[in-house]
Amino acid sequence: MGTGDPAGVAIPHAITSGMGGIRTAGDLVARMQMTRGMKIAEAKKYVADKLGISVLELADEVRMREVREDLKIGFITSRGGHPKGMEAKHHIARLLDIDINSVDVFQARCL
Amino acid sequence: MTKIYSRLGDGWITELTEAELMRDIVDGTQTAAENAQIDSLSDEEVDHLFDICRSGERLTSVERGFEIVTTYDGPTIEIRHAGIIANRQQALQIFERCFGADTMEFSHVDYSYKPSKSVVHEDLPLFEQSQMLMVIPLFYGAMPNLGLYTYPDGPMPNPGDLLPLGKIKEAQESYEAAIEMAVNDMVYCASAFYEAGADGINFDTVGASGDPDFKAALMAVEKLREKYPDICIEMGMAGEFVLGTHGEITHHGTRLAGLYPHEQMEIAHKSGVTIFGPVVNTVPSKTIPWNISRAVTMTKACVERSETPVHGNMGMGVGGLPTCETLPVDMVCMASRAMVEITRMDGL
C-alpha cells in the first residue's frame, strides 16, 4: 500500500477498492496469492469454488459472515465459542487445501 | 464554463476545464510511455480515466467485482505516528478488526533490516503472540536501506563523500561491501521470522539507495528462495527508476541502473519474488489527473507482463497520490479506483 495516516490512506483504499479482510473473503484471496502466486481473478475463482459461492459474493459482508461462521474460519466480531486466531487459520488451511506457515509452525511445536 | 474540482500533486486544490483535464491525462500517459518505452493508454482507457477524474464527488469506488487485496508496509508505525498509545499487537488488531485489512505486516519502528537485526530476539515473542491472535496473513517487513552501512551510520566509507572527490572506484567498492553486509542482515532477519511462523516476508522501499540497494534485495530473495522453497516474498520498490548510484551493477546479465517498473518486475520475479510492488512517483507541480495517468500507464505495463501478483504502491507521494502529510481522501479514492479498474492489478 504505502505510507500515510490510516484515515488518509489505509481506510480510503480499503473502502474504495479493498476486499474487506475478514469482513468478507479478503484474507482468503490474499492467501492464494501468497501461497500459489495466483493473480486476482484466479485466486477469487479458487476461493469461491472452495466456499461454494459466487465470485461476487466473496465481497458481500452479509453472505460472507454466514459462510465464515459456518466454516469456522473466523469473523469480524469476537464471540465466545467461535474460532479465533490460530484456530481459525487451522480451518482455513484445510478448507483452501494450502499450507499456512504460521499454522505449520504451531502444529510442529505441539508435537 | 463549468470548472472541474481537482488537486495538484502537492495536494493543493485547483480547477480545470474539461479540455485542460483531457490534456493532462493525455500528456501524463504519453510522458510515461516515452519515459519507460511502453504503450500509452488506449483511447477507451483515457476516456474512462477522464470520467473518473471529472467527478466532483468526494468519494468514488471500483465497480462490484473489481475489489483487490491489500498488503502494507510499516502499518503499525502509522498508528504510532498518529500518537496512539498502542503496542504493535494492538495496532495489528486495529487494522484487522477496524480497517478492513486483507493482510498485515509486523515490523520494527526503524523499518530497516540492519537495526531490526539487533532486536530480533525481543521482537520474536511479540510476533509469535500476534500470530496466535491474527486470522489474516501476517508478513514481516523492513527496508534493505543500504545507506545505513556507510559512514556515519555504518562501517563503510560513504560514497556520497567519495564521489565528489572523483574516487569512483573506491565508492563502488564501498557499495559492494555494503551489499554483502545487507544481504546477511536481511537473510538473518527473514529466516528468524519465517521460522517463527511469518506468512510472508516483505522487502520494502527497495532501491532507495540505488542499484546496489536493489542488488542486495535480489540476492537476499534468491538465498531465501533456495533455503525455503515455499516462502512468500513481496518486494515493494522505492521509485519508478533505479538510480545508478554505483552504475555498473548487473544481476544475471542485466544492468540494474535505469530499469523502469516493468523491467524491475521481470528481474524480481526471476529472483523468486512472489508479489511485486511497482512505484511511480508523484510530480508535485503537475495535477493529480496527470499523475494518475502517468502512474496507471507504467503500472499497467507491469501487470500485463506479470504472471504473478502485482500490488501497486499507493501511499503518500506515489501511485498518483499527492505528496503531503495529511492526504485528501477525494484524490486517494480517485487514484485507487483508476489504478484498479484500468491496470487490473492484483492488489495494492
Side-chain angles (χ1 to χ4, degrees):
Chain A
M1 186 171 283
T3 26
D5 64 297
V9 177
I11 295 172
H13 278 314
I15 299 298
T16 301
S17 51
M19 286 204 68
I22 58 170
R23 301 182 78 238
T24 61
D27 61 319
L28 309 180
V29 175
R31 287 204 184 276
M32 299 320 300
Q33 291 193 353
M34 294 172 68
T35 57
R36 302 271 177 91
M38 291 180 176
K39 301 279 279 182
I40 186 77
E42 186 188 4
K44 284 183 175 180
K45 174 80 167 49
Y46 182 93
V47 173
D49 288 348
K50 288 289 184 185
L51 298 181
I53 61 175
S54 71
V55 169
L56 276 181
E57 286 176 309
L58 291 175
D60 178 346
E61 294 90 339
V62 178
R63 182 82 172 99
M64 277 307 303
R65 163 61 195 240
E66 290 198 351
V67 169
R68 296 194 76 110
E69 185 170 338
D70 290 347
L71 296 175
K72 304 182 189 305
I73 55 175
F75 47 86
I76 192 71
T77 44
S78 188
R79 293 279 166 83
H82 291 277
K84 302 168 193 64
M86 189 60 73
E87 186 183 349
K89 286 189 284 195
H90 166 79
H91 294 305
I92 290 170
R94 291 177 64 176
L95 176 70
L96 297 181
D97 191 23
I98 56 172
D99 289 325
I100 293 180
N101 190 41
S102 52
V103 175
D104 291 346
V105 168
F106 175 75
Q107 287 175 338
R109 290 178 180 182
C110 289
L111 294 174
Chain B
M1 188 180 293
T2 307
K3 289 280 192 172
I4 297 164
Y5 167 87
S6 191
R7 290 182 186 268
L8 288 169
D10 62 5
W12 285 93
I13 290 173
T14 188
E15 289 184 329
L16 301 168
T17 63
E18 288 196 351
E20 287 169 337
L21 174 60
M22 181 56 88
R23 183 203 61 200
D24 276 8
I25 289 172
V26 170
D27 189 52
T29 188
Q30 287 178 347
T31 301
E34 286 166 18
N35 289 160
Q37 297 294 297
I38 53 176
D39 291 337
S40 58
L41 298 178
S42 68
D43 290 345
E44 191 179 316
E45 289 163 340
V46 166
D47 288 344
H48 186 45
L49 183 53
F50 179 83
D51 289 340
I52 293 172
C53 295
R54 183 172 53 182
S55 167
E57 295 170 352
R58 287 196 67 216
L59 303 177
T60 184
S61 76
V62 299
E63 284 183 37
R64 286 184 67 224
F66 277 82
E67 301 90 352
I68 44 83
V69 297
T70 50
T71 48
Y72 298 77
D73 55 287
T76 59
I77 300 166
E78 303 303 340
I79 297 293
R80 191 182 179 121
H81 285 171
I84 299 169
I85 302 169
N87 69 19
R88 280 174 287 176
Q89 218 164 54
Q90 293 163 321
L92 292 171
Q93 289 186 294
I94 289 169
F95 272 90
E96 179 182 85
R97 303 273 152 178
C98 304
F99 295 171
D102 298 309
T103 68
M104 248 308 101
E105 183 199 87
F106 184 96
S107 46
H108 174 46
V109 69
D110 210 327
Y111 208 59
S112 298
Y113 279 98
K114 181 171 176 263
S116 299
K117 184 182 181 184
S118 60
V119 293
V120 162
H121 62 291
E122 292 292 334
D123 275 357
L124 280 176
L126 192 66
F127 175 80
E128 289 171 339
Q129 282 184 340
S130 301
Q131 276 290 32
M132 298 301 287
L133 295 170
M134 303 291 287
V135 176
I136 62 177
L138 188 56
F139 284 81
Y140 178 80
M143 295 167 57
N145 204 350
L146 226 63
L148 293 181
Y149 295 88
T150 58
Y151 301 163
D153 301 305
M156 299 310 300
N158 194 322
D161 296 332
L162 295 170
L163 287 171
L165 300 174
K167 296 183 175 180
I168 295 171
K169 187 170 179 294
E170 289 85 347
Q172 289 179 326
E173 287 171 353
S174 175
Y175 274 130
E176 287 156 14
I179 289 172
E180 196 174 326
M181 287 182 266
V183 171
N184 286 338
D185 288 350
M186 286 188 277
V187 172
Y188 178 88
C189 291
S191 299
F193 281 94
Y194 185 70
E195 290 178 13
D199 297 310
I201 298 297
N202 185 22
F203 292 99
D204 192 68
T205 326
V206 169
S209 297
D211 50 346
D213 197 289
F214 191 19
K215 174 75 175 181
L218 293 169
M219 289 174 68
V221 169
E222 289 178 355
K223 285 179 183 290
L224 289 167
R225 177 64 62 202
E226 186 180 356
K227 199 172 174 185
Y228 312 109
D230 296 328
I231 192 172
C232 168
I233 302 174
E234 180 168 21
M235 179 181 283
M237 300 302 291
E240 69 199 35
F241 178 86
V242 179
L243 294 172
T245 52
H246 180 290
E248 294 179 341
I249 290 181
T250 61
H251 194 68
H252 300 313
T254 301
R255 185 170 177 256
L256 298 182
L259 295 184
Y260 276 93
H262 63 289
E263 299 161 324
Q264 299 164 12
M265 176 275 297
E266 285 175 358
I267 199 161
H269 280 321
K270 276 183 198 163
S271 296
V273 165
T274 316
I275 300 172
F276 179 73
V279 160
V280 182
N281 304 94
T282 295
V283 179
S285 59
K286 295 287 189 179
T287 64
I288 288 299
W290 185 93
N291 278 291
I292 293 175
S293 179
R294 186 163 160 279
V296 163
T297 305
M298 286 194 191
T299 306
K300 182 169 171 277
C302 238
V303 177
E304 285 176 343
R305 288 165 173 79
S306 180
E307 294 178 356
T308 51
V310 172
H311 287 201
N313 271 273
M314 296 194 73
M316 187 257 286
V318 296
L321 270 59
T323 306
C324 56
E325 195 173 46
T326 307
L327 281 151
V329 171
D330 45 25
M331 295 298 126
V332 176
C333 294
M334 183 186 289
S336 191
R337 178 185 174 193
M339 285 283 269
V340 172
E341 287 189 348
I342 298 173
T343 72
R344 302 297 178 94
M345 61 187 185
D346 307 281
L348 61 81

